[in-house]
Amino acid sequence: MSLIEPGDLSNQLRSARSWLKDTGPANLESPPSLKVDIDPSPSLPAKISETKQFPTLPSETAAHSAKEAKRPKKPVPTLGNNESVAAGQYDRMIEDMIRNESQAEITQHVIKVERSEVAALIKQVARAKGRYLATLLESSKGKSVPSSRIEDLKQLRETYDELLQGLNDLRSHIVNGTVLVVGVRN
């Protein structure tokens, strides 16, 4: 018993190919890896034979991203002036360009990170948070808070927020392999 009739499978594959052509990567025109032979008799299931593998997309694995960051910059596929693309496809092309440029710049400027540098950043974030909270509590002792104290609080909070955001960004780059830390495997 089959949940998909042979005619339905053909329609679904045609629909999937159309969707992939509209929304897939610019260099992939149709899914080349599967060849489907559909027998018109409803009693026989469709035969699927593998011809070659699907190309992998750069966003599929973190390991692939790490390898890609180590390679020299590849030119981003561009379209001629007369070719049109769907807005979603163009948006993905922009994301790919941003990711490739960011990885190249990070790889160029952040060469080797020591664990001690990460630990120092963590201490700095904790110190900024402590100073902010101490100043906040100290300002609650008086009946009114002077504007200079408000400015100090604002500066301390912004410093803490920036350091914390930077630490979180660094962590995500370490996980995806863009930034390599000595003694940490990806």
Side-chain angles (χ1 to χ4, degrees):
M1 180 173 146
S2 173
L3 296 176
I4 301 175
E5 296 297 321
D8 292 341
L9 181 61
S10 177
N11 290 336
Q12 289 177 358
L13 284 172
R14 200 173 307 114
S15 174
R17 284 187 182 114
S18 172
W19 176 82
L20 187 58
K21 188 180 281 188
D22 291 341
T23 61
N27 61 353
L28 184 64
E29 293 184 14
S30 66
S33 57
L34 292 180
K35 176 183 172 189
V36 178
D37 300 321
I38 299 179
D39 188 353
S41 69
S43 62
L44 296 175
K47 295 185 286 183
I48 299 176
S49 61
E50 189 174 323
T51 57
K52 61 180 178 178
Q53 293 181 336
F54 278 110
T56 57
L57 299 176
S59 60
E60 286 181 350
T61 63
H64 184 75
S65 297
K67 290 177 187 174
E68 187 176 303
K70 293 177 186 175
R71 292 185 192 150
K73 257 201 278 192
K74 291 189 278 185
V76 176
T78 57
L79 299 173
N81 291 337
N82 296 334
E83 295 181 50
S84 65
V85 295
Q89 182 179 2
Y90 186 65
D91 184 53
R92 279 187 294 284
M93 289 171 65
I94 291 172
E95 273 198 36
D96 286 344
M97 286 187 277
I98 291 169
R99 184 178 52 252
N100 291 340
E101 289 297 320
S102 294
Q103 286 178 349
E105 289 297 319
I106 290 169
T107 303
Q108 180 181 356
H109 295 289
V110 182
I111 298 170
K112 182 168 85 170
V113 177
E114 299 286 334
R115 286 195 237 177
S116 60
E117 292 175 294
V118 177
L121 179 58
I122 292 168
K123 285 181 183 178
Q124 211 172 22
V125 170
R127 190 173 19 255
K129 184 176 185 178
R131 288 183 63 207
Y132 169 68
L133 292 175
T135 306
L136 179 67
L137 291 171
E138 188 178 307
S139 66
S140 68
K141 292 179 182 173
K143 292 192 180 218
S144 67
V145 181
S147 61
S148 62
R149 180 60 60 114
I150 297 295
E151 287 300 316
D152 290 344
L153 281 170
K154 181 179 177 183
Q155 178 68 33
L156 288 170
R157 180 181 43 80
E158 287 175 353
T159 300
Y160 165 69
D161 288 342
E162 276 305 311
L163 289 171
L164 182 62
Q165 179 64 44
L167 177 61
N168 288 332
D169 286 347
L170 179 65
R171 289 173 63 196
S172 68
H173 286 291
I174 290 169
V175 169
N176 75 19
T178 308
V179 172
L180 301 175
V181 179
V182 175
V184 177
R185 288 178 294 181
N186 286 346

